Amino acid sequence: MNNVAGIDVSKGKSMVSVLRPFGEVVAKPFSIGHTGSELKELADYLKSLDGETRVVMEHTGRYYEPVARFLHDEGVFVSAVNPKLIKDYGNNTLRKVKTDKADSRKIARYGIDNWAELRQHTPMDTIRMQLKTLNRQQSLYTKTKTMMKNNLIALLDQTYPGVNALFDSPVREDGSQKWVDFATAFWHVDCVRKQSYNAFSERYQKWCKRHGYFFKQSNAEKVYALAKNAVVLVPKSGVTKVLVQEAANQLSSTSRSVETYRAEMECLASMLPEYPVVMEMYGVGKSFGPQLMAEIGDVRRFERKQSLVALAGIDPMPNQSGDKNVRSNKSSKRGSPYLRKTLFNVMGIYLKCAPQNEPVFQFLDRKRSDYFDLGFGHNNLGVETLGMFYQHRADPNTPIEVVAETVNELIREGKVLHFGLCEVNADTIRRAHRICPVTAIQSEYHLMHRAVEDARGEVDLLREHGELLDEL
């Protein structure tokens, strides 16, 4: 006799329903708190039932984890199910009911109908749990750091425009950056140009020595020249100083937290048995390696490689009906977005570095060629070579260097003659042109829309290089 306890977990409490096959009710929905005593009572009750008893709950958020761990440690069979499977199950009624009691009964019914496929939940060990939590915190603080960086640059555009672009020093282990520290000390152009160049150079050299940065005379000249020619929106005042310095301090604090999380993740990841194997993978370093290990968890829990692919949400969704059979299918994107982002970054390194002897790159390169042959080749367009390959809209998630390298490869193979871009700024054109010659630029340009002349700087760039304004 099979018993299924469906548990709808929420913060601090859960709703429990116990059912048997054919809709037999063992226990009507009842609430329990997430305390040791109440969970102990639940475990004892479930183990006292006649027959085999299994607990089913949704694998969502973090609320289910302590309940699942406690019941597992008490010897109860626990299965944590993807919430989408529960959502899509049993939708055979026009009346939509959304209550904790109804959800617990639905989860129990799902367990009964899928009894044979229920997989036992294995709690994550302490190191992997801490590693995953650190990765999620690092991801959060990295987004915050990007936001604060953009905020500081926006403020500097009003007090010292373009100064951040003059520094390319990497982030230190303590999270400090040269351009941020510089902006804290020289927060307005008048902090520089109100003194002679020699006085500023001497002061700047002492500042570099005090903060442990390398001093270059040429860099001092660039910083001073920028200050002398800058046109600023706000005057040098106490309010301006507070705005810039507080924004810089917040960015430095967040950056320090990101680096602290990264170092702690590296330390924890090095304790896991798969660490040497992961770190030997091409494109995986001290940042991406721990991130992969954090999101994948114990790889031994996957019975098939397809299960790991599905976890990342990069499994293609088949699309076939009758004579229709789509060969290029989109990814499901139903897995972990954190894992998917890390994999995307690793693949970006493959495409940028193009290691010809790496099997993964060879696979990617072959797929790109297949995609071109299937989507753009003579089979569909009736031509052997495309005269112009345009990127009509830039993908914000794909660096322009990756696009340019892909098109450049197609040009070398004779499948494309020329490369064109659409609706891009001057910086994007420069970055693409370094890798693959850009022949044509297509942008909106008329009396009511002249951004290409000033804000985006496309016209000046093309005139500078003596290029034709094709389709501009």
Side-chain angles (χ1 to χ4, degrees), residues 36 53 61-62 68 83 131-132 197 201 204 240 243 254 291 322 325 431:
T53 302
R62 307 305 298 267
L131 184 62
K132 186 174 183 178
Y197 170 71
S201 179
Y204 176 60
T240 304
L243 286 171
T254 305
Q291 290 178 26
N325 187 12
R431 289 160 52 200

Side-chain angles (χ1 to χ4, degrees), residues 215-249:
F215 171 79
K216 284 200 309 183
Q217 195 69 43
S218 59
N219 198 32
E221 294 173 358
K222 292 178 182 178
V223 171
Y224 190 78
L226 180 65
K228 292 291 286 185
N229 297 317
V231 177
V232 295
L233 296 177
V234 295
K236 182 182 178 184
S237 65
V239 174
T240 304
K241 181 178 181 180
V242 169
L243 286 171
V244 175
Q245 290 188 344
E246 283 302 311
N249 291 337

